[in-house]
Amino acid sequence: LNATHCVSSNPLLAMCTGAPQRGRMVPLLIVSMTIAVRISARVPLIIDTDIGGGGCRDVDDVAAICMAHALADNGEVDLLAIVQNTQPPACAGAISVLNHFYGRDDLPIGAYRGKDLTPSPPLPFVDDLVANWSSPVKNTSQVSDAVHVYRRVLSAQRDHSVVISSIGLLTNLKALLTSAPDKHSHLSGRDLLARKVAVLAVMGGAYPSSGPTCECNFCASSAWGGLDHQVAAEASAYVVKYMPPKVKIIFSGFEVGVAVQSGAALSSCAPESNPCRRAYIDYEGGLNRSRYSWDPLTTLVAVRGAAAAGCRECTNCSGSNWVNATSGSNRWIDGRSSNQTYLVLHNSTKAGKAIDDLLCQLPRHQVPGNSQPTSGIVV
């Protein structure tokens, strides 16, 4: 049943729009229950991003976050938190700009607090957004440790309900796995993940094998900037090996996102005040230019499932992923069925359109007075 059927020809549900009838309370009860189910069906989502910073810095994280806000506007997502897994301080400010644009200043932001990442500047679009768009947060000094955000948010959710979209280094997730009980939960990090998380969608690796090379999120390889290679490889291997078996892991490989283009539509469908649009123009160096869709596709699959992103989960592929803790390379090892699977793309056009449709959706809760960047030249 669907609450929207109250204004339909269904004789049972149509009564809810008419005058009360004696002894006929069941339809209203059904409608109330249906509304409650629909509300609870929102996917509780956490995004773990390297947005424009670190060894794998790119702009497609922006698409993933903007798309997630659109999904939240649609009632499909309960956006719980966004955490940064890289070092550049301004990246947290860019996250805050996007949250502010969509009217969600209260959305928790966290940042990786490990001392093992190399200080580095973010991509230019990050500085542009932080300097020229309104936001309450400008850098990581104003946000909490990502592990604390994870533990606080997860502890408040229903068991086996949360979905995490990992679209960057796996530094935060390793730190969470190894975290101790605290004031938010008596559970260890691993046990907390097992209790609260249903699905972890990971943009990382290549399938069924990366060969002798490695995909950037798993290794921050020299081919992708060279920052923090060993930290990235060790974190990736640890998370893939020790994530609790109760958590389903969906791997979205390099070969999937590289075949899907998105983002160009922002030049024509979004207003000049839209920071998602500006980030793409900055990164691509002009209007109407698309980008590979690794991160938004992973996030879309996390929320709507593989089919909605023109993909399917692999078949005849029982086994699990293995990541080399030194090189960051990965391969799928055939074996018994496990909690792990990977995506296979079958319709890149469908995937790109689904992402662009959400990027072009106007915010429903935009903060009044946030219609223009605070300064700077608008392209």
Side-chain angles (χ1 to χ4, degrees):
L1 295 175
N2 187 310
T4 58
H5 291 167
C6 287
V7 286
S8 74
S9 58
N10 187 315
L12 182 65
L13 294 179
M15 290 177 53
C16 70
T17 60
Q21 298 185 35
R22 186 177 179 180
R24 302 300 294 275
M25 298 298 293
V26 172
L28 292 175
L29 177 61
I30 291 173
V31 171
S32 298
M33 292 174 63
T34 302
I35 293 172
V37 169
R38 288 176 59 131
I39 293 173
S40 66
R42 294 185 180 187
V43 176
L45 176 67
I46 298 172
I47 295 179
D48 198 327
T49 174
D50 61 354
I51 184 168
C56 306
R57 50 193 180 271
D58 206 314
V59 74
D60 60 328
D61 300 78
V62 170
I65 293 172
C66 295
M67 190 187 70
H69 278 290
L71 289 165
D73 285 349
N74 293 345
E76 298 179 61
V77 159
D78 182 7
L79 197 49
L80 301 178
I82 301 176
V83 293
Q84 173 189 333
N85 52 57
T86 49
Q87 186 277 336
C91 292
I95 294 170
S96 183
V97 166
L98 303 180
N99 292 350
H100 184 74
F101 179 72
Y102 282 91
R104 293 187 175 90
D105 282 339
D106 58 344
L107 183 64
I109 300 172
Y112 181 64
R113 288 289 190 253
K115 304 300 184 182
D116 49 2
L117 295 180
T118 305
S120 60
L123 288 171
F125 81 78
V126 171
D127 290 332
D128 185 3
L129 296 190
V130 174
N132 296 317
W133 264 261
S134 300
S135 67
V137 171
K138 299 300 181 183
N139 58 64
T140 52
S141 71
Q142 299 171 266
V143 303
S144 299
D145 185 329
V147 171
H148 295 166
V149 173
Y150 260 126
R151 293 188 62 86
R152 175 168 57 83
V153 169
L154 287 175
S155 65
Q157 305 310 309
R158 292 179 295 108
D159 289 356
H160 313 299
S161 66
V162 177
V163 171
I164 298 172
S165 177
S166 174
I167 51 174
L169 305 186
L170 279 74
T171 47
N172 285 329
L173 286 171
K174 180 187 177 184
L176 175 59
L177 276 168
T178 58
S179 65
D182 61 4
K183 64 181 180 180
H184 301 299
S185 174
H186 66 281
L187 299 173
S188 68
R190 191 168 191 268
D191 289 343
L192 185 61
L193 282 159
R195 174 77 63 84
K196 298 297 183 179
V197 177
V199 176
L200 169 62
V202 178
M203 194 286 111
Y207 302 91
S209 172
S210 67
T213 60
C214 58
E215 186 278 323
C216 192
N217 285 344
F218 275 3
C219 69
S221 71
S222 57
W224 296 83
L227 292 174
D228 308 313
H229 168 83
Q230 197 56 51
V231 175
E234 290 177 0
S236 301
Y238 190 93
V239 171
V240 171
K241 182 176 181 179
Y242 291 109
M243 186 60 57
K246 290 184 178 180
V247 178
K248 179 178 180 178
I249 308 178
I250 303 173
F251 293 101
S252 179
F254 174 87
E255 72 284 353
V256 175
V258 77
V260 177
Q261 293 286 315
S262 61
L266 282 165
S267 292
S268 56
C269 74
E272 293 178 341
S273 60
N274 186 321
C276 315
R277 175 184 186 270
R278 178 66 164 263
Y280 265 75
I281 292 171
D282 282 353
Y283 184 88
E284 293 293 344
L287 298 167
N288 303 309
R289 297 180 184 178
S290 61
R291 181 62 180 156
Y292 305 124
S293 305
W294 296 293
D295 295 347
L297 185 143
T298 302
T299 304
L300 185 63
V301 169
V303 175
R304 289 182 175 175
C311 297
R312 61 175 173 82
E313 295 180 18
C314 66
T315 55
N316 300 317
C317 61
S318 296
S320 59
N321 199 10
W322 175 83
V323 180
N324 186 306
T326 300
S327 69
S329 62
N330 78 288
R331 70 175 186 269
W332 194 259
I333 299 177
D334 293 335
R336 295 181 179 179
S337 295
S338 72
N339 61 322
Q340 302 181 13
T341 186
Y342 62 86
L343 296 176
V344 177
L345 179 68
H346 63 81
N347 191 332
S348 60
T349 301
K350 178 180 179 179
K353 183 178 186 304
I355 294 167
D356 280 339
D357 285 349
L358 288 164
L359 292 178
C360 289
Q361 182 178 300
L362 293 176
R364 291 189 179 181
H365 307 292
Q366 187 173 347
V367 175
N370 189 37
S371 59
Q372 295 293 335
T374 56
S375 63
I377 300 172
V378 177
V379 179

